[in-house]
Amino acid sequence: MVIVLFLMLILLLVGCSGITDLLIKIDPIVEDVSSNFLGAIIPIYSYPTQGNPEYQNLESVYVSKRVYVVLNPNNGPGSSVDTNYENLINRLKFRNYKLIGYVYTTYGSRNIGDVTNDINMWYSFYSNIDGIFVDEASDSSNRIPFYQVIYDYVKSKDSSDVVVLNPGVVPHSGYFGISDIIIVAEINQRVFLDSWSSQGSEGEKSAILIYNVEDKDRVINKAISEGVGYVYITDEETNSWFRISRYLRDIVK
């Protein structure tokens, strides 16, 4: 008995650092990488029929970040209220998502009256949306006045609502003053990892949409190193945005 106690004492005095090392290897602290960015912009363009598994995936998660879901009934708000979208908005808001309505601008060449009309219809049909997603946005400095009108128009509806521009690239710096969030990359994993840079963007206002993702950890780690504010990655092969990412929980929790 004395020998056993003596051996135990030797282990405690001499080998404690080795024991500590062993415990660390067995039970490491895993960092929640998603805590390094603010949230996500999630475009989802499939129709929200009852039982649609894509929307069920969204509804299965209560989000803890700023997660904006882009709604697109018919390349915009459609011509009338759609009760399926109306119900969807209420269900997703219950899960702490924010909902933004899709409008397109044809890179600044669409008639501005048609754009503001779409914005009007969004707020008329779905008064509890949280802002507007402006697709096909220009990145050129000569179209900044066009997008200034859109920004001011949305803010006149509700100053707290967001304006998200999607040029899909880092635009002229002037755009960061007339938007709340800008999609600075809408590209596949290979291009993102091989050559993309956030140079010229403003971190907390910048968002990326990366598709055909197979190595989520490398993509997320690069997004963090580039200082991106909003990150959405998907295994969907193209940027059609008809499916919800299988990485959803890694992004929004």
Side-chain angles (χ1 to χ4, degrees), residues 6-174:
F6 177 74
L7 290 173
M8 291 178 66
L9 180 61
I10 294 297
L11 279 172
L12 288 171
L13 293 174
V14 178
C16 60
S17 63
I19 292 172
T20 303
D21 290 343
L22 180 61
L23 288 173
I24 292 172
K25 289 175 184 177
I26 292 173
D27 188 22
I29 297 173
V30 179
E31 181 186 3
D32 176 13
V33 293
S34 70
S35 65
N36 290 279
F37 47 83
L38 299 173
I41 311 293
I42 303 179
I44 176 67
Y45 300 155
S46 56
Y47 187 74
T49 53
Q50 187 171 2
N52 184 323
E54 304 307 325
Y55 290 97
Q56 287 179 334
N57 288 336
L58 275 178
E59 292 177 53
S60 70
V61 180
Y62 186 90
V63 302
S64 56
K65 297 181 179 300
R66 299 181 215 164
V67 182
Y68 297 91
V69 177
V70 183
L71 303 178
N72 187 10
N74 187 18
N75 209 24
S79 57
S80 61
V81 176
D82 186 321
T83 55
N84 283 322
Y85 275 99
E86 202 170 37
N87 294 333
L88 174 69
I89 290 170
N90 292 329
R91 294 198 309 271
L92 290 181
K93 277 183 169 288
F94 184 72
R95 307 302 292 171
N96 209 34
Y97 291 96
K98 296 184 181 298
L99 291 307
I100 53 180
Y102 177 100
V103 300
Y104 70 93
T105 57
T106 321
Y107 308 100
S109 66
R110 189 182 180 202
N111 181 282
I112 191 64
D114 292 338
V115 176
T116 56
N117 185 56
D118 275 358
I119 294 170
N120 271 335
M121 287 194 289
W122 270 113
Y123 281 95
S124 174
F125 298 160
Y126 312 102
S127 60
N128 57 343
I129 60 170
D130 300 288
I132 297 294
F133 181 85
V134 183
D135 200 19
E136 297 179 356
S138 174
D139 64 336
S140 173
S141 61
N142 64 8
R143 302 310 295 156
I144 288 176
F146 178 91
Y147 291 94
Q148 178 77 64
V149 172
I150 295 171
Y151 179 80
D152 292 343
Y153 197 74
V154 174
K155 295 299 183 178
S156 74
K157 299 292 185 183
D158 189 325
S159 61
S160 66
D161 280 3
V162 297
V163 178
V164 180
L165 299 184
N166 182 23
V169 297
V170 178
H172 183 277
S173 60

Side-chain angles (χ1 to χ4, degrees), residues 1 16 94 115 138 148 161 178 186 205 214 217 227 232 242 244 252-253:
M1 182 67 178
C16 60
F94 184 72
V115 176
S138 174
Q148 178 77 64
D161 280 3
I178 56 169
E186 184 175 350
K205 282 192 168 187
E214 296 177 349
D217 293 333
Y232 183 64
F242 279 97
I244 289 298
V252 303
K253 292 295 285 182

Side-chain angles (χ1 to χ4, degrees), residues 215-233:
D215 191 338
K216 72 175 177 64
D217 293 333
R218 283 186 67 200
V219 173
I220 289 176
N221 285 332
K222 176 166 182 176
I224 291 169
S225 70
E226 294 283 352
V228 176
Y230 296 82
V231 176
Y232 183 64
I233 62 173

